[in-house]
Amino acid sequence: MEAAVEFSGEQTTENNVRRDLLRPLTGASGQYLTAVVLCSAVVIWALVAWGYQIHYGIGVAGINRPVFWGFYIINFVFWIGISHAGTLISAILRLTDAGWRKPVTRAAEAITVFCLMIGGMFPLIHLGRVWLFYWLIPYPNDRLLWPNFRSPLVWDMTAIFTYMTGSVLFLYLPLIPDLAMMAKRSQGVRGFLYRKLSLGWTGSDRQWHAMERAMKLMAGMILAVAVSVHSVVAFDFSMSVAPMWHSTIFAPYFVAGAIFSGIAALVLVMAALRHFLHLQHYLRPLHFDNLGKLLLLMSLIWMYFTFAEHLTVWYGNNPAEINVFNVREHGVFASALWCMVTCNFIIPFILLGVRKLRTITTICLASVSVLVGMWLERFLIVVPTLSHPPLASGWGAYTPTWVEWSITAGTFAAMALLYLLFVKAFPIIAIWEYEDDH
Amino acid sequence: MSMDLVQIETDSSRSDETNIPQWGMAIDLDRCSGCEACVIACHAENNIPLSDETAASEGRTNHWLRIDRYYEGEFPDIKVKFRPVMCQQCDDAPCEPVCPVYATYQNEEGLNVQVYNRCVGTRYCANNCPYTVRFFNWYDPVWPEDLNLQLNPDVSVRPGGVMEKCTFCVQRIQRGKREASADGNDIADGDIQPACVQSCPAEAMVFGDLTDKNSKVSQWSQSGRSEQLLDELGTKPRVFYLEKGD
């Protein structure tokens, strides 16, 4: 096995690859431990807040009549959106056989799994009676009760379970060769765990062939599933008769927004990995530059959808819709709206569109801006519509409480925590991809 | 001739014992003085918790029936119009298909019923109600001392985390049907009255069977003054508002 990988002039041998990529798995710096403790503390605080809400009733959140959905649904859409980072990007790069995908795919697939775990919690957190959530599941029961398959929420649950299953497999399959390799190098509990998880992988031709076919198949399927998932999330809104929700453009608009925010999240995770795990040799400026261009493309697509949506509503001048439009455009939500446009379009357009400005730092800045903007976008979809129902007597306002803020903060901490634990347990870049032309 | 045939058919179907009444309501806005007696009666009948200042400031008041006020002109030369708004019991109700657990559905008498035990509290129905007449129990309900002893035994007290709304006083409809069947009679028009209808001092509200062409509600709903709220949405409400054209 004299396989070598070329890195623009320098040669990295297999041993170097293993050394570099397995280094993060052993030991733990003070910095790492501090981060884990801090994130855990925030997550625990969020769980306390959730427990408080379950005990006293969902009234401890700021949602009210008519704003029956608030931060929880905004966060739900946000996290499910980011989950598209992974699988979609990694599936596209795998299917197109893009050579530069090697160090990107696993980091992206892990984002997907964690974001789905987090995003998938929100429909539960927001339930009035969370202890009965399983009534949405079509399980056999002696009362012969079924969920209502006409409800977009049931579609939603089905889509998210499917996506979750698919993306866990999509993350796990290409992890197997690395697990087998690590099983040989580790002892004790860790070795046992890796051995069990590697499912008897020996690296025979037959196994490689099977995995290759499985990955091709999974990549194709996961693309379809990912598109369907965010379409269904969009259907939660567009199937209603609420003004500015009932829009045919929502499904593709949401999918585009999801990929947009997903790329932004991927860029930030990659930058963090590059910096903290010293992976400068692997996550190179080229990767950031390519993702930066993708981000720019998605920014343009997002702006196009946003413009089309707003122009249509404004020109149509339907009384119920124009009320919501006005309150977004000139009313209390105007600052959020223009902030969203700045974050999602103006800043990325300048930072990524001007080639001279496009560096790893500015791509990261643009990504932060996009994440803020896309969170605001979901806020602007959920709240103005609900606070301005067709009959003016029902109009209201929404102020989130500490419970909603805590749980929201907790999800960001949970994302960081899951990632911190993941990089300690598994190599974040697929080692076998560098080792041979399998 | 053909008209007579239709008439005979309708009459025979009326006398058929399997005929199912279709409940509806008509409200004459020109009679409504906005006194809110109906709102009080509704609260008392249906065990609706009292909405205090805190609830109001949080946007969480609960009135299954509310009086919307519409102002015309500038102060002091102002004209106020009142419109009692409750669940419109839509035939094509937007709240129904979106519920993931069938906690709300159209029953055979045309009532849009809410099954409290089945509700898990997604609140999707309330978002999709264009009339904003669905109310969520943010907490378990509480009543001031002594008032908790006067709850209507015919009406469930709803726990925290479930949706509720106007039922057209379904408990009174059930009682009316029970009493009529015990006496071996048909339900006569006006036998069944929801609390709001019964308490209206101006007799601005009528309730009854829309399939009975002679019922007051049928006649009122056929009046030239009759209209439905937000009927452009196609929800086919069962509540008819009578108002003279301007």
Side-chain angles (χ1 to χ4, degrees), chain A residues 53 58-73 125-126 386 397-401 404, chain B residues 58-60 123 136 138:
Chain A
Q53 174 179 293
I58 190 128
V60 298
I63 36 183
N64 56 54
R65 186 176 66 86
V67 189
F68 288 97
W69 289 355
F71 265 32
Y72 299 146
I73 296 298
I125 294 172
H126 108 122
L386 290 180
Y398 169 63
T399 316
T401 63
E404 284 149 308
Chain B
E58 289 174 348
R60 289 176 181 169
R123 304 183 294 287
F136 190 67
W138 303 98

PDB file of all heavy atoms in Angstrom, chain A residues 53 58-73 125-126 386 397-401 404, chain B residues 58-60 123 136 138:
ATOM      1  N   GLN A  53     -41.783  24.150  31.130  1.00  0.00           N
ATOM      2  CA  GLN A  53     -42.924  24.357  30.232  1.00  0.00           C
ATOM      3  C   GLN A  53     -43.900  23.179  30.282  1.00  0.00           C
ATOM      4  O   GLN A  53     -45.117  23.357  30.300  1.00  0.00           O
ATOM      5  CB  GLN A  53     -42.411  24.562  28.802  1.00  0.00           C
ATOM      6  CG  GLN A  53     -43.524  24.642  27.774  1.00  0.00           C
ATOM      7  CD  GLN A  53     -42.983  24.864  26.371  1.00  0.00           C
ATOM      8  OE1 GLN A  53     -42.433  25.903  26.069  1.00  0.00           O
ATOM      9  NE2 GLN A  53     -43.135  23.866  25.518  1.00  0.00           N
ATOM     10  N   ILE A  58     -47.896  25.129  28.330  1.00  0.00           N
ATOM     11  CA  ILE A  58     -47.188  25.817  27.251  1.00  0.00           C
ATOM     12  C   ILE A  58     -47.390  27.328  27.329  1.00  0.00           C
ATOM     13  O   ILE A  58     -46.731  28.090  26.632  1.00  0.00           O
ATOM     14  CB  ILE A  58     -47.624  25.249  25.892  1.00  0.00           C
ATOM     15  CG1 ILE A  58     -46.739  25.750  24.748  1.00  0.00           C
ATOM     16  CG2 ILE A  58     -49.071  25.569  25.589  1.00  0.00           C
ATOM     17  CD1 ILE A  58     -46.186  24.672  23.901  1.00  0.00           C
ATOM     18  N   GLY A  59     -48.279  27.764  28.240  1.00  0.00           N
ATOM     19  CA  GLY A  59     -48.488  29.195  28.440  1.00  0.00           C
ATOM     20  C   GLY A  59     -47.246  29.937  28.895  1.00  0.00           C
ATOM     21  O   GLY A  59     -47.179  31.161  28.768  1.00  0.00           O
ATOM     22  N   VAL A  60     -46.242  29.225  29.424  1.00  0.00           N
ATOM     23  CA  VAL A  60     -45.029  29.928  29.843  1.00  0.00           C
ATOM     24  C   VAL A  60     -44.239  30.431  28.642  1.00  0.00           C
ATOM     25  O   VAL A  60     -43.333  31.245  28.789  1.00  0.00           O
ATOM     26  CB  VAL A  60     -44.121  29.035  30.730  1.00  0.00           C
ATOM     27  CG1 VAL A  60     -44.847  28.638  31.993  1.00  0.00           C
ATOM     28  CG2 VAL A  60     -43.638  27.810  29.959  1.00  0.00           C
ATOM     29  N   ALA A  61     -44.580  29.956  27.439  1.00  0.00           N
ATOM     30  CA  ALA A  61     -43.983  30.516  26.228  1.00  0.00           C
ATOM     31  C   ALA A  61     -44.801  31.752  25.825  1.00  0.00           C
ATOM     32  O   ALA A  61     -45.890  31.979  26.342  1.00  0.00           O
ATOM     33  CB  ALA A  61     -43.978  29.486  25.104  1.00  0.00           C
ATOM     34  N   GLY A  62     -44.263  32.547  24.897  1.00  0.00           N
ATOM     35  CA  GLY A  62     -44.925  33.812  24.565  1.00  0.00           C
ATOM     36  C   GLY A  62     -46.021  33.699  23.529  1.00  0.00           C
ATOM     37  O   GLY A  62     -46.678  34.685  23.205  1.00  0.00           O
ATOM     38  N   ILE A  63     -46.200  32.506  22.981  1.00  0.00           N
ATOM     39  CA  ILE A  63     -47.218  32.345  21.954  1.00  0.00           C
ATOM     40  C   ILE A  63     -48.600  32.631  22.523  1.00  0.00           C
ATOM     41  O   ILE A  63     -48.829  32.471  23.724  1.00  0.00           O
ATOM     42  CB  ILE A  63     -47.164  30.922  21.341  1.00  0.00           C
ATOM     43  CG1 ILE A  63     -46.804  29.910  22.409  1.00  0.00           C
ATOM     44  CG2 ILE A  63     -46.203  30.876  20.171  1.00  0.00           C
ATOM     45  CD1 ILE A  63     -46.664  28.521  21.913  1.00  0.00           C
ATOM     46  N   ASN A  64     -49.502  33.052  21.692  1.00  0.00           N
ATOM     47  CA  ASN A  64     -50.812  33.501  22.168  1.00  0.00           C
ATOM     48  C   ASN A  64     -51.822  33.345  21.045  1.00  0.00           C
ATOM     49  O   ASN A  64     -51.553  32.692  20.037  1.00  0.00           O
ATOM     50  CB  ASN A  64     -50.702  34.959  22.633  1.00  0.00           C
ATOM     51  CG  ASN A  64     -50.174  35.858  21.541  1.00  0.00           C
ATOM     52  OD1 ASN A  64     -50.703  35.893  20.432  1.00  0.00           O
ATOM     53  ND2 ASN A  64     -49.109  36.587  21.820  1.00  0.00           N
ATOM     54  N   ARG A  65     -52.973  33.972  21.221  1.00  0.00           N
ATOM     55  CA  ARG A  65     -53.932  34.048  20.132  1.00  0.00           C
ATOM     56  C   ARG A  65     -53.822  35.448  19.544  1.00  0.00           C
ATOM     57  O   ARG A  65     -53.948  36.407  20.295  1.00  0.00           O
ATOM     58  CB  ARG A  65     -55.349  33.794  20.663  1.00  0.00           C
ATOM     59  CG  ARG A  65     -56.426  33.717  19.597  1.00  0.00           C
ATOM     60  CD  ARG A  65     -57.751  33.367  20.238  1.00  0.00           C
ATOM     61  NE  ARG A  65     -58.180  34.442  21.105  1.00  0.00           N
ATOM     62  CZ  ARG A  65     -58.871  35.503  20.669  1.00  0.00           C
ATOM     63  NH1 ARG A  65     -59.228  35.605  19.429  1.00  0.00           N
ATOM     64  NH2 ARG A  65     -59.212  36.453  21.508  1.00  0.00           N
ATOM     65  N   PRO A  66     -53.546  35.637  18.292  1.00  0.00           N
ATOM     66  CA  PRO A  66     -53.558  34.672  17.187  1.00  0.00           C
ATOM     67  C   PRO A  66     -52.206  34.078  16.810  1.00  0.00           C
ATOM     68  O   PRO A  66     -52.156  33.276  15.876  1.00  0.00           O
ATOM     69  CB  PRO A  66     -54.037  35.552  16.031  1.00  0.00           C
ATOM     70  CG  PRO A  66     -53.401  36.884  16.298  1.00  0.00           C
ATOM     71  CD  PRO A  66     -53.375  37.023  17.796  1.00  0.00           C
ATOM     72  N   VAL A  67     -51.124  34.460  17.504  1.00  0.00           N
ATOM     73  CA  VAL A  67     -49.807  33.924  17.096  1.00  0.00           C
ATOM     74  C   VAL A  67     -49.609  32.580  17.783  1.00  0.00           C
ATOM     75  O   VAL A  67     -48.884  32.469  18.776  1.00  0.00           O
ATOM     76  CB  VAL A  67     -48.670  34.925  17.421  1.00  0.00           C
ATOM     77  CG1 VAL A  67     -47.365  34.463  16.805  1.00  0.00           C
ATOM     78  CG2 VAL A  67     -49.027  36.310  16.898  1.00  0.00           C
ATOM     79  N   PHE A  68     -50.260  31.557  17.267  1.00  0.00           N
ATOM     80  CA  PHE A  68     -50.245  30.244  17.908  1.00  0.00           C
ATOM     81  C   PHE A  68     -48.921  29.507  17.694  1.00  0.00           C
ATOM     82  O   PHE A  68     -48.624  28.565  18.405  1.00  0.00           O
ATOM     83  CB  PHE A  68     -51.397  29.380  17.384  1.00  0.00           C
ATOM     84  CG  PHE A  68     -52.755  29.806  17.867  1.00  0.00           C
ATOM     85  CD1 PHE A  68     -53.553  30.612  17.088  1.00  0.00           C
ATOM     86  CD2 PHE A  68     -53.222  29.402  19.107  1.00  0.00           C
ATOM     87  CE1 PHE A  68     -54.808  31.001  17.523  1.00  0.00           C
ATOM     88  CE2 PHE A  68     -54.477  29.791  19.554  1.00  0.00           C
ATOM     89  CZ  PHE A  68     -55.272  30.594  18.762  1.00  0.00           C
ATOM     90  N   TRP A  69     -48.182  29.896  16.677  1.00  0.00           N
ATOM     91  CA  TRP A  69     -46.844  29.313  16.442  1.00  0.00           C
ATOM     92  C   TRP A  69     -45.826  30.425  16.585  1.00  0.00           C
ATOM     93  O   TRP A  69     -46.049  31.531  16.095  1.00  0.00           O
ATOM     94  CB  TRP A  69     -46.735  28.719  15.031  1.00  0.00           C
ATOM     95  CG  TRP A  69     -47.523  27.471  14.827  1.00  0.00           C
ATOM     96  CD1 TRP A  69     -48.231  26.773  15.762  1.00  0.00           C
ATOM     97  CD2 TRP A  69     -47.689  26.768  13.582  1.00  0.00           C
ATOM     98  NE1 TRP A  69     -48.838  25.687  15.177  1.00  0.00           N
ATOM     99  CE2 TRP A  69     -48.515  25.654  13.851  1.00  0.00           C
ATOM    100  CE3 TRP A  69     -47.216  26.959  12.291  1.00  0.00           C
ATOM    101  CZ2 TRP A  69     -48.884  24.745  12.857  1.00  0.00           C
ATOM    102  CZ3 TRP A  69     -47.574  26.064  11.307  1.00  0.00           C
ATOM    103  CH2 TRP A  69     -48.399  24.959  11.589  1.00  0.00           C
ATOM    104  N   GLY A  70     -44.702  30.136  17.229  1.00  0.00           N
ATOM    105  CA  GLY A  70     -43.697  31.179  17.409  1.00  0.00           C
ATOM    106  C   GLY A  70     -42.298  30.645  17.190  1.00  0.00           C
ATOM    107  O   GLY A  70     -42.026  29.992  16.185  1.00  0.00           O
ATOM    108  N   PHE A  71     -41.435  30.899  18.182  1.00  0.00           N
ATOM    109  CA  PHE A  71     -40.023  30.505  18.062  1.00  0.00           C
ATOM    110  C   PHE A  71     -39.850  29.022  17.756  1.00  0.00           C
ATOM    111  O   PHE A  71     -38.939  28.641  17.046  1.00  0.00           O
ATOM    112  CB  PHE A  71     -39.296  30.834  19.377  1.00  0.00           C
ATOM    113  CG  PHE A  71     -38.593  32.169  19.353  1.00  0.00           C
ATOM    114  CD1 PHE A  71     -39.109  33.222  18.622  1.00  0.00           C
ATOM    115  CD2 PHE A  71     -37.403  32.359  20.041  1.00  0.00           C
ATOM    116  CE1 PHE A  71     -38.464  34.452  18.596  1.00  0.00           C
ATOM    117  CE2 PHE A  71     -36.749  33.581  20.019  1.00  0.00           C
ATOM    118  CZ  PHE A  71     -37.283  34.625  19.297  1.00  0.00           C
ATOM    119  N   TYR A  72     -40.727  28.198  18.324  1.00  0.00           N
ATOM    120  CA  TYR A  72     -40.499  26.755  18.168  1.00  0.00           C
ATOM    121  C   TYR A  72     -40.614  26.334  16.714  1.00  0.00           C
ATOM    122  O   TYR A  72     -39.811  25.537  16.216  1.00  0.00           O
ATOM    123  CB  TYR A  72     -41.488  25.959  19.031  1.00  0.00           C
ATOM    124  CG  TYR A  72     -41.346  26.252  20.515  1.00  0.00           C
ATOM    125  CD1 TYR A  72     -42.440  26.252  21.355  1.00  0.00           C
ATOM    126  CD2 TYR A  72     -40.101  26.525  21.054  1.00  0.00           C
ATOM    127  CE1 TYR A  72     -42.312  26.522  22.703  1.00  0.00           C
ATOM    128  CE2 TYR A  72     -39.953  26.809  22.401  1.00  0.00           C
ATOM    129  CZ  TYR A  72     -41.063  26.812  23.219  1.00  0.00           C
ATOM    130  OH  TYR A  72     -40.924  27.079  24.549  1.00  0.00           O
ATOM    131  N   ILE A  73     -41.607  26.875  16.036  1.00  0.00           N
ATOM    132  CA  ILE A  73     -41.780  26.493  14.636  1.00  0.00           C
ATOM    133  C   ILE A  73     -40.732  27.187  13.764  1.00  0.00           C
ATOM    134  O   ILE A  73     -40.236  26.616  12.792  1.00  0.00           O
ATOM    135  CB  ILE A  73     -43.224  26.802  14.181  1.00  0.00           C
ATOM    136  CG1 ILE A  73     -44.220  25.943  14.965  1.00  0.00           C
ATOM    137  CG2 ILE A  73     -43.391  26.578  12.686  1.00  0.00           C
ATOM    138  CD1 ILE A  73     -44.074  24.453  14.761  1.00  0.00           C
ATOM    139  N   ILE A 125     -41.628  19.892  21.194  1.00  0.00           N
ATOM    140  CA  ILE A 125     -41.538  20.958  22.195  1.00  0.00           C
ATOM    141  C   ILE A 125     -42.753  21.874  22.095  1.00  0.00           C
ATOM    142  O   ILE A 125     -43.244  22.380  23.093  1.00  0.00           O
ATOM    143  CB  ILE A 125     -40.227  21.762  21.995  1.00  0.00           C
ATOM    144  CG1 ILE A 125     -39.021  20.874  22.280  1.00  0.00           C
ATOM    145  CG2 ILE A 125     -40.199  22.998  22.885  1.00  0.00           C
ATOM    146  CD1 ILE A 125     -37.693  21.498  21.943  1.00  0.00           C
ATOM    147  N   HIS A 126     -43.263  22.073  20.874  1.00  0.00           N
ATOM    148  CA  HIS A 126     -44.333  23.045  20.710  1.00  0.00           C
ATOM    149  C   HIS A 126     -45.721  22.454  20.977  1.00  0.00           C
ATOM    150  O   HIS A 126     -46.699  23.195  21.007  1.00  0.00           O
ATOM    151  CB  HIS A 126     -44.236  23.691  19.315  1.00  0.00           C
ATOM    152  CG  HIS A 126     -45.284  23.272  18.340  1.00  0.00           C
ATOM    153  ND1 HIS A 126     -46.132  24.175  17.732  1.00  0.00           N
ATOM    154  CD2 HIS A 126     -45.637  22.070  17.872  1.00  0.00           C
ATOM    155  CE1 HIS A 126     -46.939  23.529  16.926  1.00  0.00           C
ATOM    156  NE2 HIS A 126     -46.677  22.256  16.977  1.00  0.00           N
ATOM    157  N   LEU A 386     -49.490  35.261  11.161  1.00  0.00           N
ATOM    158  CA  LEU A 386     -50.348  34.856  12.268  1.00  0.00           C
ATOM    159  C   LEU A 386     -50.858  36.051  13.048  1.00  0.00           C
ATOM    160  O   LEU A 386     -51.997  36.049  13.529  1.00  0.00           O
ATOM    161  CB  LEU A 386     -49.583  33.914  13.205  1.00  0.00           C
ATOM    162  CG  LEU A 386     -49.296  32.531  12.628  1.00  0.00           C
ATOM    163  CD1 LEU A 386     -48.552  31.689  13.637  1.00  0.00           C
ATOM    164  CD2 LEU A 386     -50.589  31.850  12.219  1.00  0.00           C
ATOM    165  N   ALA A 397     -49.997  40.456  18.735  1.00  0.00           N
ATOM    166  CA  ALA A 397     -48.549  40.639  18.673  1.00  0.00           C
ATOM    167  C   ALA A 397     -47.881  39.462  19.364  1.00  0.00           C
ATOM    168  O   ALA A 397     -48.561  38.653  20.008  1.00  0.00           O
ATOM    169  CB  ALA A 397     -48.153  41.943  19.344  1.00  0.00           C
ATOM    170  N   TYR A 398     -46.580  39.392  19.241  1.00  0.00           N
ATOM    171  CA  TYR A 398     -45.872  38.246  19.803  1.00  0.00           C
ATOM    172  C   TYR A 398     -44.558  38.693  20.419  1.00  0.00           C
ATOM    173  O   TYR A 398     -43.760  39.379  19.784  1.00  0.00           O
ATOM    174  CB  TYR A 398     -45.604  37.227  18.697  1.00  0.00           C
ATOM    175  CG  TYR A 398     -44.657  36.115  19.068  1.00  0.00           C
ATOM    176  CD1 TYR A 398     -44.969  35.214  20.087  1.00  0.00           C
ATOM    177  CD2 TYR A 398     -43.455  35.934  18.396  1.00  0.00           C
ATOM    178  CE1 TYR A 398     -44.107  34.195  20.413  1.00  0.00           C
ATOM    179  CE2 TYR A 398     -42.585  34.907  18.716  1.00  0.00           C
ATOM    180  CZ  TYR A 398     -42.916  34.036  19.726  1.00  0.00           C
ATOM    181  OH  TYR A 398     -42.061  33.020  20.046  1.00  0.00           O
ATOM    182  N   THR A 399     -44.352  38.339  21.690  1.00  0.00           N
ATOM    183  CA  THR A 399     -43.058  38.557  22.339  1.00  0.00           C
ATOM    184  C   THR A 399     -42.632  37.238  22.966  1.00  0.00           C
ATOM    185  O   THR A 399     -43.342  36.711  23.816  1.00  0.00           O
ATOM    186  CB  THR A 399     -43.170  39.619  23.466  1.00  0.00           C
ATOM    187  OG1 THR A 399     -43.960  40.700  22.974  1.00  0.00           O
ATOM    188  CG2 THR A 399     -41.815  40.113  23.873  1.00  0.00           C
ATOM    189  N   PRO A 400     -41.512  36.692  22.546  1.00  0.00           N
ATOM    190  CA  PRO A 400     -41.065  35.422  23.143  1.00  0.00           C
ATOM    191  C   PRO A 400     -40.637  35.614  24.589  1.00  0.00           C
ATOM    192  O   PRO A 400     -40.216  36.709  24.979  1.00  0.00           O
ATOM    193  CB  PRO A 400     -39.873  35.025  22.272  1.00  0.00           C
ATOM    194  CG  PRO A 400     -39.416  36.285  21.622  1.00  0.00           C
ATOM    195  CD  PRO A 400     -40.612  37.156  21.481  1.00  0.00           C
ATOM    196  N   THR A 401     -40.751  34.572  25.381  1.00  0.00           N
ATOM    197  CA  THR A 401     -40.346  34.642  26.793  1.00  0.00           C
ATOM    198  C   THR A 401     -38.976  33.989  26.981  1.00  0.00           C
ATOM    199  O   THR A 401     -38.407  33.430  26.039  1.00  0.00           O
ATOM    200  CB  THR A 401     -41.343  33.902  27.696  1.00  0.00           C
ATOM    201  OG1 THR A 401     -41.327  32.515  27.314  1.00  0.00           O
ATOM    202  CG2 THR A 401     -42.743  34.446  27.537  1.00  0.00           C
ATOM    203  N   GLU A 404     -38.630  30.395  25.642  1.00  0.00           N
ATOM    204  CA  GLU A 404     -38.348  30.220  24.218  1.00  0.00           C
ATOM    205  C   GLU A 404     -36.901  30.583  23.874  1.00  0.00           C
ATOM    206  O   GLU A 404     -36.241  29.884  23.110  1.00  0.00           O
ATOM    207  CB  GLU A 404     -39.314  31.086  23.394  1.00  0.00           C
ATOM    208  CG  GLU A 404     -40.711  30.486  23.332  1.00  0.00           C
ATOM    209  CD  GLU A 404     -41.797  31.541  23.217  1.00  0.00           C
ATOM    210  OE1 GLU A 404     -41.807  32.468  24.039  1.00  0.00           O
ATOM    211  OE2 GLU A 404     -42.628  31.430  22.300  1.00  0.00           O
TER     212      GLU A 404
ATOM    213  N   GLU B  58     -51.584  39.390  27.581  1.00  0.00           N
ATOM    214  CA  GLU B  58     -50.812  38.366  26.887  1.00  0.00           C
ATOM    215  C   GLU B  58     -51.460  37.941  25.576  1.00  0.00           C
ATOM    216  O   GLU B  58     -50.946  37.073  24.872  1.00  0.00           O
ATOM    217  CB  GLU B  58     -50.656  37.124  27.787  1.00  0.00           C
ATOM    218  CG  GLU B  58     -49.719  37.343  28.956  1.00  0.00           C
ATOM    219  CD  GLU B  58     -49.695  36.166  29.908  1.00  0.00           C
ATOM    220  OE1 GLU B  58     -50.575  35.279  29.781  1.00  0.00           O
ATOM    221  OE2 GLU B  58     -48.815  36.133  30.778  1.00  0.00           O
ATOM    222  N   GLY B  59     -52.611  38.525  25.271  1.00  0.00           N
ATOM    223  CA  GLY B  59     -53.312  38.110  24.059  1.00  0.00           C
ATOM    224  C   GLY B  59     -53.895  36.722  24.205  1.00  0.00           C
ATOM    225  O   GLY B  59     -53.888  35.937  23.262  1.00  0.00           O
ATOM    226  N   ARG B  60     -54.390  36.414  25.393  1.00  0.00           N
ATOM    227  CA  ARG B  60     -54.891  35.052  25.612  1.00  0.00           C
ATOM    228  C   ARG B  60     -56.295  35.027  26.178  1.00  0.00           C
ATOM    229  O   ARG B  60     -56.651  34.148  26.965  1.00  0.00           O
ATOM    230  CB  ARG B  60     -53.949  34.298  26.543  1.00  0.00           C
ATOM    231  CG  ARG B  60     -52.640  33.960  25.875  1.00  0.00           C
ATOM    232  CD  ARG B  60     -51.712  33.313  26.848  1.00  0.00           C
ATOM    233  NE  ARG B  60     -50.430  33.007  26.213  1.00  0.00           N
ATOM    234  CZ  ARG B  60     -49.359  32.628  26.873  1.00  0.00           C
ATOM    235  NH1 ARG B  60     -49.409  32.520  28.179  1.00  0.00           N
ATOM    236  NH2 ARG B  60     -48.244  32.355  26.231  1.00  0.00           N
ATOM    237  N   ARG B 123     -52.122  23.232  17.495  1.00  0.00           N
ATOM    238  CA  ARG B 123     -52.685  24.566  17.254  1.00  0.00           C
ATOM    239  C   ARG B 123     -52.747  24.928  15.769  1.00  0.00           C
ATOM    240  O   ARG B 123     -52.929  26.087  15.402  1.00  0.00           O
ATOM    241  CB  ARG B 123     -51.898  25.631  18.028  1.00  0.00           C
ATOM    242  CG  ARG B 123     -51.828  25.347  19.503  1.00  0.00           C
ATOM    243  CD  ARG B 123     -51.138  26.416  20.266  1.00  0.00           C
ATOM    244  NE  ARG B 123     -49.736  26.554  19.957  1.00  0.00           N
ATOM    245  CZ  ARG B 123     -48.782  25.714  20.331  1.00  0.00           C
ATOM    246  NH1 ARG B 123     -49.094  24.675  21.096  1.00  0.00           N
ATOM    247  NH2 ARG B 123     -47.538  25.904  19.996  1.00  0.00           N
ATOM    248  N   PHE B 136     -57.103  28.358  22.698  1.00  0.00           N
ATOM    249  CA  PHE B 136     -56.217  27.327  23.223  1.00  0.00           C
ATOM    250  C   PHE B 136     -56.114  27.479  24.735  1.00  0.00           C
ATOM    251  O   PHE B 136     -56.089  28.583  25.256  1.00  0.00           O
ATOM    252  CB  PHE B 136     -54.836  27.477  22.587  1.00  0.00           C
ATOM    253  CG  PHE B 136     -53.924  26.326  22.866  1.00  0.00           C
ATOM    254  CD1 PHE B 136     -54.194  25.074  22.329  1.00  0.00           C
ATOM    255  CD2 PHE B 136     -52.807  26.487  23.660  1.00  0.00           C
ATOM    256  CE1 PHE B 136     -53.360  24.000  22.583  1.00  0.00           C
ATOM    257  CE2 PHE B 136     -51.969  25.410  23.920  1.00  0.00           C
ATOM    258  CZ  PHE B 136     -52.245  24.180  23.378  1.00  0.00           C
ATOM    259  N   TRP B 138     -53.866  27.540  27.470  1.00  0.00           N
ATOM    260  CA  TRP B 138     -52.409  27.663  27.681  1.00  0.00           C
ATOM    261  C   TRP B 138     -52.002  27.018  28.985  1.00  0.00           C
ATOM    262  O   TRP B 138     -50.873  26.549  29.125  1.00  0.00           O
ATOM    263  CB  TRP B 138     -52.013  29.132  27.640  1.00  0.00           C
ATOM    264  CG  TRP B 138     -52.419  29.770  26.351  1.00  0.00           C
ATOM    265  CD1 TRP B 138     -53.524  30.526  26.114  1.00  0.00           C
ATOM    266  CD2 TRP B 138     -51.758  29.641  25.079  1.00  0.00           C
ATOM    267  NE1 TRP B 138     -53.571  30.889  24.784  1.00  0.00           N
ATOM    268  CE2 TRP B 138     -52.499  30.366  24.132  1.00  0.00           C
ATOM    269  CE3 TRP B 138     -50.585  28.996  24.665  1.00  0.00           C
ATOM    270  CZ2 TRP B 138     -52.133  30.452  22.788  1.00  0.00           C
ATOM    271  CZ3 TRP B 138     -50.219  29.084  23.336  1.00  0.00           C
ATOM    272  CH2 TRP B 138     -50.982  29.803  22.418  1.00  0.00           C
TER     273      TRP B 138
END
